[in-house]
Amino acid sequence: MAQYNAAQGLTIVEATPQTFDTAFLDVPYKIYENVPEWIAPLRFEVAGFLKAKSPYLAHANARYFIAKRGDTLVGRISAQVDRLVAETMGQGTGQFGYFECEDNPETSAALLGAAEAWLKGQGMTRILGPFNPSINEEVGLLIDGFDTPNVMLMPHGRPYYRALVEAQGYQKVKELYAYDFDVRPELDARFLKMEAWVDKNPDLEVRFIDKRNVQADIALALDIFNEAWRDNWGFTPMTDGEAERFGKSLALILQPDLGAFAYLKGEPIAFMITLPDLNSIIHDLEGKLFPLNWAKLLYRLKRKRFARARTPLLGVRKAHQNTRLGGMLSIYIISKIRRETLKYGMTHCELSWILEDNPGINNMLSSIGGEIYKRYGIFEKTL
């Protein structure tokens, strides 16, 4: 573990996946000390991405930097080189993530500078982020929507972060949207007519996740997802190891009746998975399960009462994208799952994240009553 002085009174501590320091997990608690909207993720889940045994690190290398002023934690950042990113976004593309920082340009300059220096040493020619740690996990720097809590697997942020990043020469290259969808009203009558048409069509079938074969259905969903999104900006496929980890992480929270597949003549062509928002039941646990929080979590999971949901995965196979059938099946699945969410006491669902330049999905979500309530930026700099 390396340590060096970045400026008078400011120290940067560098760690590797093998020498991971749990102080990296402690930083956000300092940054969000008086921010009630921030909900701490479960610490063991975050650590699972950062330590050497992470399946992500089977195809990536990373460094972690912590900023201290004296004994006080004041910031953190990661730097990643991912060979799969090189294959999809071009050679020389390095990434940063997990950016948290006090409102001090000196501190942000030291953190970003440390990440940039390490990436340069790895032969990278540009830096892009934030990715925590990849595009298949937490993505983006929150730039609008600070007055509402972060849902599971979505980052929060401080309003001054954008200025700190841009002051170091970064430019926003992509914007990501999170939609808020009120699940209580029935969909518009024209969409109900679509449902009736699908129900009467003998070539079409829609089913929920099979309780007896959950892992197989998650694998099927990821297969459709990888095909559906492969040409989108930033796409990086999940490896088998990452998919397995993803499936295991969903085991406690996944409800089979909140995931559905659409079939055309027996072939799966579309899917959607909605998850109860774990953050809505861990908001008071501070990311920790021990000594007694695990019992609270298990009790709350058993009750199956959640304030909201998040839809992180949906997709239509390439052959049916931008077709009337593909759109109808997507809306059909959304409508079907919407009704199921009511059983869990949910009132709202976040549909996220959606690229700003994906008109098909954006138009569909707007048409069913979704409203953009959070925006995230991806920022880039030439090294």
Side-chain angles (χ1 to χ4, degrees), residues 30-337:
K30 297 290 185 181
I31 304 301
Y32 297 104
E33 193 169 12
N34 298 306
V35 181
E37 293 80 15
W38 177 67
I39 299 176
L42 295 176
R43 290 169 66 94
F44 82 92
E45 285 279 1
V46 180
F49 290 116
L50 302 171
K51 293 183 178 180
K53 292 183 179 180
S54 166
Y56 166 74
L57 292 169
H59 54 85
N61 191 12
R63 288 295 183 276
Y64 313 123
F65 302 92
I66 301 169
K68 294 182 177 181
R69 182 168 282 104
D71 294 328
T72 303
L73 299 170
V74 294
R76 74 177 188 185
I77 197 170
S78 68
Q80 302 97 248
V81 175
D82 185 340
R83 62 174 174 80
L84 296 182
V85 168
E87 293 172 5
T88 58
M89 298 194 72
Q91 295 292 326
T93 301
Q95 298 177 319
F96 75 94
Y98 297 99
F99 178 74
E100 307 285 0
C101 189
E102 64 177 352
D103 191 4
N104 187 321
E106 178 187 86
T107 308
S108 58
L111 286 168
L112 288 163
E116 293 165 13
W118 184 78
L119 289 173
K120 281 183 182 179
Q122 301 297 305
M124 300 296 103
T125 57
R126 71 164 176 158
I127 180 172
L128 189 69
F131 298 95
N132 305 345
S134 79
I135 201 165
N136 293 316
E137 303 300 336
E138 288 188 358
V139 180
L141 191 76
L142 185 64
I143 57 177
D144 183 44
F146 299 93
D147 57 343
T148 51
N150 52 304
V151 300
M152 63 182 296
L153 299 177
M154 292 294 286
H156 199 53
R158 301 301 304 270
Y160 58 81
Y161 279 4
R162 180 175 186 173
L164 291 180
V165 170
E166 290 182 333
Q168 298 306 311
Y170 288 75
Q171 294 184 326
K172 180 168 67 70
V173 293
K174 283 292 176 182
E175 196 161 296
L176 316 175
Y177 300 152
Y179 283 81
D180 176 61
F181 178 45
D182 188 337
V183 300
R184 292 167 292 184
E186 185 61 82
L187 294 188
D188 187 272
R190 69 184 188 277
F191 298 128
L192 298 182
K193 290 181 180 179
M194 288 184 186
E195 282 192 66
W197 181 85
V198 172
D199 285 334
K200 293 177 182 178
N201 192 320
D203 292 334
L204 298 174
E205 176 193 358
V206 174
R207 68 166 178 88
F208 290 122
I209 289 175
D210 186 347
K211 294 179 182 179
R212 299 162 299 178
N213 296 289
V214 171
Q215 291 305 318
D217 273 353
I218 290 175
L220 174 59
L222 293 176
D223 177 66
I224 299 173
F225 178 82
N226 282 339
E227 178 186 329
W229 292 85
R230 69 187 178 203
D231 295 330
N232 282 25
W233 179 89
F235 172 75
T236 304
M238 276 194 187
T239 65
D240 290 343
E242 288 172 305
E244 181 181 359
R245 184 190 189 283
F246 179 75
K248 289 179 179 178
S249 70
L250 296 186
L252 282 178
I253 198 73
L254 180 69
Q255 305 300 322
D257 54 359
L258 297 184
F261 295 88
Y263 288 75
L264 173 63
K265 296 181 179 180
E267 294 296 322
I269 64 169
F271 84 102
M272 184 172 98
I273 292 179
T274 292
L275 300 171
D277 178 29
L278 182 66
N279 281 11
S280 68
I281 62 170
I282 66 168
H283 55 88
D284 60 337
L285 303 187
E286 298 183 338
K288 303 171 185 177
L289 291 183
F290 296 99
L292 297 176
N293 283 346
W294 63 271
K296 292 181 182 178
L297 178 57
L298 288 178
Y299 170 73
R300 293 168 186 177
L301 288 169
K302 188 174 182 179
R303 286 185 68 236
K304 295 188 176 183
R305 303 298 292 177
F306 305 92
R308 59 184 184 268
R310 181 192 172 208
T311 298
L313 294 172
L314 73 157
V316 178
R317 289 203 186 274
K318 280 290 181 185
H320 301 281
Q321 289 179 9
N322 302 315
T323 68
R324 185 169 181 268
L325 178 61
M328 290 176 68
L329 288 175
S330 297
I331 290 174
Y332 182 96
I333 293 173
I334 289 172
S335 181
K336 199 149 183 101
I337 291 177

Side-chain angles (χ1 to χ4, degrees), residues 1-6 10-16 19 21 23-24 63-70 73 75-77 110-111 114:
M1 185 178 299
Q3 179 172 311
Y4 56 93
N5 293 327
L10 187 65
T11 301
I12 300 295
V13 179
E14 177 183 346
T16 70
T19 61
D21 185 348
F24 194 85
R63 288 295 183 276
Y64 313 123
F65 302 92
I66 301 169
K68 294 182 177 181
R69 182 168 282 104
L73 299 170
R76 74 177 188 185
I77 197 170
L111 286 168

